[in-house]
């Protein structure tokens, strides 16, 4: 049993364990609730005090921020006004300076245009005079050259006629000499039976080589072209390397015919082919065939089937070479004189072509100069138009700056806070008048 004393009357009560526990539980719960209420009240008072302090500090800080913002707005307005003033002054000064530079530049360009026009006119006059003088001088030279060429052509014709006459006389003399020695050589030709004809011709040529043919080449043809070749090749050049004479030789001896008697015409086709393959001008058949033929025994025989082909007996071997060589020398001299005359004509034509080319190039240069002059005038006009556009852009920029200044002057707190109730309330709490 447990005893409980009343705090008012002092009377003692006897309670059992269950009752005592119930009373103790009630006492503790009430005490806990009271402590909780006291603690919550204390916390409430503390939170109210703290909130009040924070609200006071926040209002103070807000007022300071609003004051700073107002000061910043005032400073920005003043700076904007100063910047606008400086910008307007700078723009005005730049426009004035640019106008002065444009005026000076336009003046200089106008003077330069006048100078270029004067130079172009002078150049045109000088060009006309120079062309006229050059044409007259060249025409005079052409006339003189034509007269000289006509004289040279007449002289060349006279020399050609003289050479032809001398050649005819030389041929007649050689034919007479050949006729004198024909019988004698024909009588000696019988000694060649059994003798190698090729060796005979080579020996006869070598005996007179140094005196009559010092620059000649006469050797055995050892180069086989397309399965065939001739017997001997004769080539000769002038001192300056110009080809003078070339002959393809074929030697045929009567002793070579064993089964049947061959004819000279049987070998002409092959000889012509060999001459063509080796690039020779003449072809000569030195033949002992048909010994009883008066046609071949008469002297030098020309083939009417093939161009520049001769059939001779061995006695006419050296005389034929001399005859062809003299004819080649005469023709060479005539060709050189004709080439000189043609070269003179070519020089005149080249002179005329050079003069025409000079005229064309001079006219082309003048045309190009005129085009460049016109292009320069157009460039100057474009520059003037460009400067005018720059001036217009600067004027428009000045207008835009003026409009921006007007907008800055018209800026107020009321317009800044329009549609923004939070900022309007902040200004009102800070005591700033909204106008």
């Amino acid at each position: 049993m447990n005893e409980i004393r009343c705090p008012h009357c002092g009377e003692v009560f006897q309670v059992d364990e269950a009752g005592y526990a119930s009373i103790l539980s009630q006492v503790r719960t009430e005490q806990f609730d009271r402590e909780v209420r006291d603690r919550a009240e204390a916390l409430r008072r503390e939170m109210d005090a703290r909130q009040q302090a924070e609200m006071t500090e926040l209002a103070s800080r807000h007022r300071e921020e609003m004051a700073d913002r107002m000061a910043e707005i005032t400073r920005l307005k003043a700076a904007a006004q100063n910047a606008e003033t400086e910008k307007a002054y700078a723009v005005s000064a730049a426009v004035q300076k640019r106008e002065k530079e444009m005026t000076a530049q336009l003046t200089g360009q106008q003077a330069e245009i006048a100078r270029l026009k004067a130079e172009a006119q002078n150049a045109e006059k000088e060009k006309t005079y120079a062309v006229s003088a050059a044409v007259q001088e060249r025409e005079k030279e052409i006339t003189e050259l034509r007269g000289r060429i006509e004289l040279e052509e007449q002289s060349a014709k006279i020399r050609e006629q003289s050479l032809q006459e001398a050649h005819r006389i030389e041929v007649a003399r050689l034919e007479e000499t050949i006729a004198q020695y024909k019988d004698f050589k024909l009588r000696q030709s019988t000694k060649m039976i059994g003798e190698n004809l090729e060796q005979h011709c080579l020996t006869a040529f070598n005996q007179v080589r140094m005196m009559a043919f010092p620059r000649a080449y006469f050797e055995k043809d050892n180069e086989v072209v397309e399965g065939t070749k001739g017997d001997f090749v004769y080539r000769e050049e002038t001192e300056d390397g110009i080809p003078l004479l070339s002959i393809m030789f074929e030697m045929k001896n009567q002793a070579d015919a064993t089964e049947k008697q061959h004819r000279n015409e049987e070998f002409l086709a092959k000889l012509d082919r060999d001459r063509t393959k080796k690039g020779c001008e003449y072809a000569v058949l030195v033949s002992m065939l048909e010994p009883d033929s008066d046609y071949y025994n008469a002297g030098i025989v020309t083939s009417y089937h093939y161009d520049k082909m001769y059939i001779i007996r061995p006695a006419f071997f050296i005389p034929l070479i001399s005859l062809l060589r003299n004819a080649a020398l005469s023709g060479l001299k005539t060709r050189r004189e004709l080439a000189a005359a043609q070269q003179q004509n070519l020089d005149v034509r080249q002179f005329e072509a050079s003069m025409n080319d000079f005229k064309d190039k001079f006219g082309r240069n003048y045309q190009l100069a005129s085009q460049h002059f016109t292009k320069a005038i157009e460039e100057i006009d474009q520059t003037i138009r460009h400067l005018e556009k720059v001036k217009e852009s600067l004027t428009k920029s000045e207008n835009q700056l003026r409009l921006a200044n007007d907008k800055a002057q018209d800026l107020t707190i009321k317009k800044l806070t329009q549609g923004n109730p939070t900022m309007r309330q902040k200004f009102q709490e800070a005591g700033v008048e909204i106008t």
Side-chain angles (χ1 to χ4, degrees), residues 83-94:
E84 187 64 29
T85 303
E86 293 177 358
K87 188 181 295 183
Y89 176 75
V91 169
S92 177

Side-chain angles (χ1 to χ4, degrees), residues 14 18 39 71 79 107 110 118 135 149 153 156 171 262 350 373 423:
Q14 295 290 330
R39 184 60 178 169
T107 304
Q110 290 174 355
V135 170
I149 290 171
E153 288 178 350
V171 170
H262 291 279
Q350 290 178 349
F373 182 81
M423 291 301 299

Side-chain angles (χ1 to χ4, degrees), residues 153-327:
E153 288 178 350
Q154 293 176 0
S155 300
K157 289 180 180 178
I158 293 173
R159 288 193 298 270
E160 183 179 359
Q161 292 175 357
S162 300
L163 290 172
Q164 289 176 353
E165 181 66 20
H167 177 67
R168 186 185 63 79
I169 294 173
E170 180 68 17
V171 170
R173 186 182 64 81
L174 289 174
E175 288 179 350
E176 184 180 356
T177 303
I178 291 170
Q180 292 175 358
Y181 287 98
K182 182 178 65 173
D183 293 336
F184 176 74
K185 292 295 182 181
L186 283 176
R187 286 193 298 269
Q188 289 184 342
S189 64
T190 57
K191 298 180 181 180
M192 296 182 59
I193 298 176
E195 181 182 354
N196 189 298
L197 181 59
E198 296 180 0
Q199 186 63 38
H200 170 78
C201 294
L202 180 60
T203 302
F205 182 84
N206 289 333
Q207 289 175 350
V208 297
R209 178 195 294 269
M210 296 305 297
M211 295 181 294
F213 314 107
R215 288 186 299 274
Y217 164 89
F218 182 74
E219 298 291 344
K220 183 72 174 175
D221 183 19
N222 295 319
E223 183 182 359
V224 178
V225 179
E226 297 181 5
T228 62
K229 64 182 184 66
D231 289 334
F232 282 87
V233 175
Y234 175 96
R235 296 185 188 276
E236 185 175 0
E237 295 181 351
T238 62
E239 294 179 356
D240 50 359
I242 299 175
L244 178 64
L245 181 63
S246 60
I247 308 172
M248 170 62 69
F249 284 96
E250 184 79 14
M251 282 70 171
K252 292 298 177 183
N253 195 339
Q254 178 64 34
D256 294 336
T258 57
E259 296 182 358
K260 66 176 183 177
Q261 298 292 323
H262 291 279
R263 297 174 58 83
N264 290 321
E265 293 182 357
E266 297 176 9
F267 304 97
L268 298 183
K270 175 182 177 300
L271 179 58
D272 186 68
R273 289 195 300 270
D274 293 337
R275 182 262 304 270
T276 303
K277 294 173 183 177
K278 297 302 173 64
C280 294
E281 183 179 3
Y282 295 96
V284 177
L285 176 63
V286 183
S287 172
M288 289 294 294
L289 304 179
E290 303 180 54
D292 298 329
S293 173
D294 294 334
Y295 177 69
Y296 293 112
N297 293 334
I300 299 173
V301 177
T302 303
S303 172
Y304 56 88
H305 293 293
Y306 302 98
D307 187 31
K308 294 185 177 182
M309 180 174 290
Y310 301 94
I311 302 98
I312 62 172
R313 297 302 186 188
F316 298 97
F317 174 68
I318 297 299
L320 178 61
I321 296 177
S322 300
L323 183 64
L324 294 178
R325 185 174 182 274
N326 291 335

